[in-house]
Amino acid sequence: RNRRAGAPGGFYVVAGVGLNLFNREPTTCLRDMLDGAGYRGAAEELTREGFAALFCREFESLLGVLRGQGFAPLSTRYTDMWMHTGQRVEV
């Protein structure tokens, strides 16, 4: 049976993202990464609200491509950023 997201009897997908913006310990944070890459001004101006707005803008754009054209246009970008080649991943 063919099911579509949001259709009666279909399914919904919930995506969750967590990013450490400011807490240096016990791991690393985006502010330190920006500063270390030479973007001190951006690191100093980083806010939760600003990052959320940038993230949502990019996410909505990618979601529009996915809905309209499927995964094919995003495939190369995805695989270029894939971090788990050669690693065992459990879901």
Side-chain angles (χ1 to χ4, degrees), residues 74-88:
L74 304 172
S75 177
T76 300
R77 184 174 177 186
Y78 176 79
T79 55
D80 286 349
M81 295 180 182
W82 179 252
M83 303 177 344
H84 302 291
T85 300
Q87 295 181 9
R88 182 178 177 168

Side-chain angles (χ1 to χ4, degrees), residues 3-83:
R3 292 184 152 193
R4 290 184 28 205
F11 62 92
Y12 291 92
V13 175
V14 177
V17 177
L19 184 64
N20 180 2
L21 299 180
F22 305 110
N23 297 326
R24 292 185 165 145
E25 298 292 331
T27 181
T28 190
C29 64
L30 182 58
R31 177 179 277 163
D32 288 348
M33 292 173 71
L34 288 168
D35 192 35
Y39 297 102
R40 173 166 241 131
E44 292 172 357
E45 294 177 15
L46 181 66
T47 65
R48 286 179 182 89
E49 297 82 5
F51 179 80
L54 290 171
F55 175 85
C56 287
R57 183 180 68 196
E58 181 68 12
F59 185 79
E60 286 178 325
S61 173
L62 294 172
L63 186 58
V65 171
L66 184 63
R67 285 180 173 161
Q69 303 172 47
F71 185 68
L74 304 172
S75 177
T76 300
R77 184 174 177 186
Y78 176 79
T79 55
D80 286 349
M81 295 180 182
W82 179 252
M83 303 177 344

